[in-house]
């Protein structure tokens, strides 16, 4: 029988309580010290692992410590520093343009609204929600590959489009739990719910997960 929204909301709360015990230290897996650094790191993480990005950003942020440094960066030099994250030409173009717009439109500060963040080159809803939630405490659902896959397996959505998955999860995940829940999904995806070989037998939420594989 198909679950209604109330049933899904109840089940997601059960999963959240289990996650809180299993993933007590679940947090953003990108290293950053400011909203600007998280904004840049998240753009670099597109089609790249967080681990790889974390290897690149210490040198990158030392070379470009401010938004003005990024805005005035030499494209060839910036590209050489982020080359290993892939798609480096496009990322270089977007990072420089993004920082120029931060200066021209927002006084060099990272804005705190979805619409303003989405106006920045290279910034989509995933990046915007991550920055809003982790830097400013504003609720948001971050839909990466882990969140999308797990949300479908857990029966919370049938959608594959990230925005539609976000809308489905927003309906059932309490605002105050949204950011931490998405971080837990990343940890759970890596620990148990692998794309090819999920470890359902040892999964801590196996008894309440419909396992839609």
């Amino acid at each position: 029988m198909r679950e209604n929204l109330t049933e899904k909301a109840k089940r997601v709360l059960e999963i959240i309580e289990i996650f809180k015990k299993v993933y007590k230290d679940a947090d953003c897996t990108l290293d950053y010290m400011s909203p600007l650094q998280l904004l840049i790191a998240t753009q670099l993480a597109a089609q790249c692992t967080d681990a790889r990005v974390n290897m690149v950003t210490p040198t990158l942020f030392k070379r470009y410590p401010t938004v003005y440094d990024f805005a005035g960066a030499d494209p060839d030099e910036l590209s050489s520093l982020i080359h290993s994250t892939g798609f480096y030409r496009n990322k270089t173009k977007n990072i420089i343009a993004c920082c120029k717009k931060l200066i021209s439109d927002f006084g060099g500060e990272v804005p705190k609204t979805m619409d303003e963040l989405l106006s920045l080159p290279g910034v989509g809803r995933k990046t915007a929600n991550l920055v809003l939630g982790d830097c400013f405490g504003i609720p948001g659902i971050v839909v990466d590959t882990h969140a999308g896959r797990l949300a479908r397996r857990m029966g919370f959505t049938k959608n594959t489009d990230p925005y539609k998955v976000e809308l489905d999860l927003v309906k059932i995940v309490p605002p105050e739990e949204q950011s931490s829940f998405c971080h837990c999904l990343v940890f759970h995806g890596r620990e148990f719910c692998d794309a090819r070989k999920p470890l359902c037998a040892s999964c801590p939420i196996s008894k309440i997960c419909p396992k839609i594989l």
Side-chain angles (χ1 to χ4, degrees):
M1 184 177 70
R2 292 179 61 184
E3 288 181 303
N4 59 36
L5 279 179
T6 301
E7 291 167 337
K8 288 181 180 179
K10 180 180 178 181
R11 189 158 59 84
V12 83
L13 286 178
E14 293 181 60
I15 290 174
I16 287 171
E17 289 307 306
I18 294 172
F19 279 175
K20 285 181 178 180
K21 297 175 182 177
V22 177
Y23 307 112
K24 295 179 181 179
D25 299 321
D27 203 351
C28 180
T29 51
L30 290 167
D31 296 334
Y32 67 98
M33 295 294 290
S34 68
L36 175 65
Q37 288 189 357
L38 182 57
L39 187 67
I40 299 297
T42 309
Q43 291 189 55
L44 294 177
Q47 304 298 314
C48 180
T49 66
D50 289 359
R52 167 56 61 181
V53 172
N54 289 338
M55 294 172 65
V56 169
T57 49
T59 300
L60 183 70
F61 294 151
K62 184 177 181 179
R63 176 64 183 85
Y64 307 107
T66 72
V67 65
Y68 299 95
D69 295 310
F70 273 111
D74 175 75
D76 290 336
E77 181 182 7
L78 178 54
S79 291
S80 69
L81 290 174
I82 67 172
H83 186 278
S84 64
T85 68
F87 301 96
Y88 60 92
R89 290 190 180 89
N90 195 49
K91 290 178 181 179
T92 294
K93 176 183 175 182
N94 283 335
I95 287 171
I96 292 175
C98 174
C99 289
K100 285 182 176 179
K101 191 172 180 66
L102 286 176
I103 294 168
S104 65
D105 292 13
F106 304 107
E109 299 294 327
V110 176
K112 300 180 181 180
T113 71
M114 174 63 73
D115 287 345
E116 289 174 326
L117 284 166
L118 291 179
S119 74
L120 300 171
V123 176
R125 292 190 66 87
K126 182 180 76 170
T127 296
N129 275 319
L130 183 62
V131 171
L132 290 173
D134 281 40
C135 295
F136 304 122
I138 299 171
I141 296 288
V142 179
V143 181
D144 63 358
T145 54
H146 290 293
R149 181 178 75 253
L150 269 62
R152 287 185 290 275
R153 284 182 173 174
M154 292 175 183
F156 295 136
T157 184
K158 291 184 178 180
N159 290 302
T160 55
D161 177 78
Y163 181 53
K164 292 181 179 179
V165 173
E166 178 186 338
L167 293 180
D168 286 338
L169 290 178
V170 164
K171 294 175 185 176
I172 59 175
V173 181
E176 67 275 12
E177 303 288 356
Q178 289 176 2
S179 292
S180 60
F181 177 64
C182 292
H183 289 320
C184 286
L185 288 180
V186 173
F187 277 65
H188 192 66
R190 292 173 178 173
E191 186 75 18
F192 293 99
C193 206
D194 181 77
R196 296 183 179 180
K197 294 182 179 180
L199 305 177
C200 296
S202 57
C203 174
I205 63 167
S206 61
K207 292 183 180 180
I208 54 175
C209 177
K211 306 177 186 64
I212 300 173
L213 305 178

